[in-house]
Amino acid sequence: MSYSEKYGYSVNIAEIERSLEAISRNISSIKSKEVLLKCFSMMDLTTLKNDDTPSSVSRFTAKVAAYREAYPDYPLPASICVYPNFAAQVARERLCPELHVTSVSSCFPTTQSFLEVKLLECRMAAQAGADEIDVVLPLASFMDGDLGKTFDDLKAMRDEIDRAGGGRRIIMKVILETGILSEPAKIAEASFLAMEAGADFIKTSTGKVSVNATPVAAYIMCQCIALYYEKTGRMVGFKPAGGIATADDAICYYSIVSTVLGKEWLDKEHFRFGVSRMANNLLSAIEEETVAFF
């Protein structure tokens, strides 16, 4: 039995597209300062560049402190997301513990390495002070149809992160890389598998492939989260990432979560954006003038 069969899920693309068309028509009516600020508070503000350095990451982290001084009445982003070798640095330099440290791990973005290496990276990121760890679905085994190994590897990462936390709860987000999965049925299978393996969030993309977050993939993932919650009572979060840049993009994904999952998911405990460019665009929409802060 497939995971989708277990949860009684079948993809209805025509129905999804109709709902997305309605969401698209309503974006302007939903966009408000309150909603835009809420979207800002759910950002994982991200720098995952090949040329990141300790000094560039320090400057990136300092921008959040400067933002708080410039906009004291606005919320902080949810976290700063960096490569694992920068996790300890961001933990030291961040404005406050409320601003979480997110570390990508598991040999991001390709996940092409030995399980032992992935586990070590997860453990070291957790021990360095990461509050949240974003791991990549083991695509090699999943795409080859070996769901058992895919599950076992993810569960091993979940267990390693929990051990490394030493009693400190560390959030694990599983990146499905939906642009590579491409087929709706595979996106659904990966969603259910990741949740059963212990994901606190399921995330669309690494941002490092040609197709990243899409509204259709997001809608499917949210439908899977809803069915998983219905069966288990556990609220799993959702994180779109990759190519999300404009205020309208933010409102689109906000509306998908609101439509499929409900207002209970519209907080940073259950909904995140993985972004690098969207922060300035959200501030520009809120301020109704061009802002180039981050």
Side-chain angles (χ1 to χ4, degrees):
M1 177 187 293
S2 70
Y3 285 96
S4 293
E5 288 171 333
K6 177 179 177 180
Y7 288 91
Y9 181 70
S10 60
V11 181
N12 186 329
I13 290 296
E15 180 182 287
I16 290 171
E17 289 177 344
R18 282 195 297 272
S19 183
L20 289 174
E21 286 171 7
I23 285 170
S24 180
R25 288 194 300 270
N26 290 329
I27 282 176
S28 59
S29 65
I30 294 168
K31 189 190 297 185
S32 66
K33 182 175 181 178
E34 179 185 4
V35 170
L36 292 169
L37 284 170
K38 199 164 190 178
C39 289
F40 193 98
S41 75
M42 297 185 289
M43 291 189 310
D44 289 343
L45 195 60
T46 301
T47 181
L48 295 171
K49 300 175 183 175
N50 289 352
D51 60 353
D52 283 340
T53 65
S55 56
S56 72
V57 170
S58 283
R59 290 192 295 272
F60 189 78
T61 306
K63 284 181 181 179
V64 180
Y67 154 81
R68 170 43 59 88
E69 290 183 10
Y71 301 96
D73 297 327
Y74 288 4
L76 290 172
S79 81
I80 293 175
C81 180
V82 292
Y83 283 113
N85 49 307
F86 296 117
Q89 177 183 335
V90 176
R92 288 193 308 272
E93 297 177 358
R94 62 182 162 176
L95 180 64
C96 60
E98 177 191 348
L99 179 67
H100 279 191
V101 179
T102 296
S103 170
V104 295
S105 291
S106 76
C107 300
F108 176 98
T110 67
T111 194
Q112 296 283 23
S113 190
F114 303 102
L115 175 61
E116 292 82 359
V117 175
K118 299 177 191 180
L119 296 179
L120 176 62
E121 192 172 60
C122 289
R123 179 166 76 248
M124 292 179 72
Q127 291 172 341
D131 303 293
E132 309 181 6
I133 295 179
D134 290 15
V135 304
V136 185
L137 183 82
L139 287 165
S141 52
F142 183 85
M143 295 301 287
D144 230 18
D146 193 344
L147 301 188
K149 178 169 173 48
T150 307
F151 176 90
D152 290 345
D153 285 7
L154 279 180
K155 184 64 167 59
M157 289 182 235
R158 169 82 270 177
D159 292 345
E160 191 70 21
I161 289 167
D162 288 343
R163 281 192 294 270
R168 179 172 64 97
R169 177 64 176 175
I170 297 174
I171 291 167
M172 184 177 85
K173 308 189 197 89
V174 176
I175 306 165
L176 306 186
E177 204 67 289
T178 54
I180 288 178
L181 300 183
S182 69
E183 298 173 21
K186 288 182 178 178
I187 294 171
E189 280 294 284
S191 297
F192 289 123
L193 185 155
M195 290 187 283
E196 287 209 352
D200 296 303
F201 279 74
I202 52 175
K203 175 179 171 182
T204 60
S205 321
T206 61
K208 302 294 186 180
V209 295
S210 59
V211 177
N212 291 288
T214 66
V216 169
Y219 207 100
I220 291 167
M221 291 168 68
C222 288
Q223 287 180 319
C224 294
I225 290 170
L227 286 171
Y228 181 82
Y229 174 69
E230 185 180 304
K231 192 173 183 70
T232 68
R234 187 168 78 90
M235 291 177 71
V236 173
F238 170 65
K239 179 178 174 179
I244 301 170
T246 69
D248 282 2
D249 290 339
I251 298 299
C252 174
Y253 288 103
Y254 180 96
S255 299
I256 290 169
V257 171
S258 178
T259 299
V260 181
L261 293 169
K263 66 180 186 300
E264 294 84 3
W265 263 263
L266 296 175
D267 57 41
K268 67 181 181 180
E269 281 72 40
H270 303 102
F271 182 27
R272 297 290 180 84
F273 296 97
V275 296
S276 55
R277 294 175 291 159
M278 194 174 80
N280 283 331
N281 290 329
L282 282 179
L283 285 176
S284 296
I286 292 163
E287 293 292 301
E288 299 183 337
E289 64 181 20
T290 301
V291 176
F293 195 94
F294 289 96

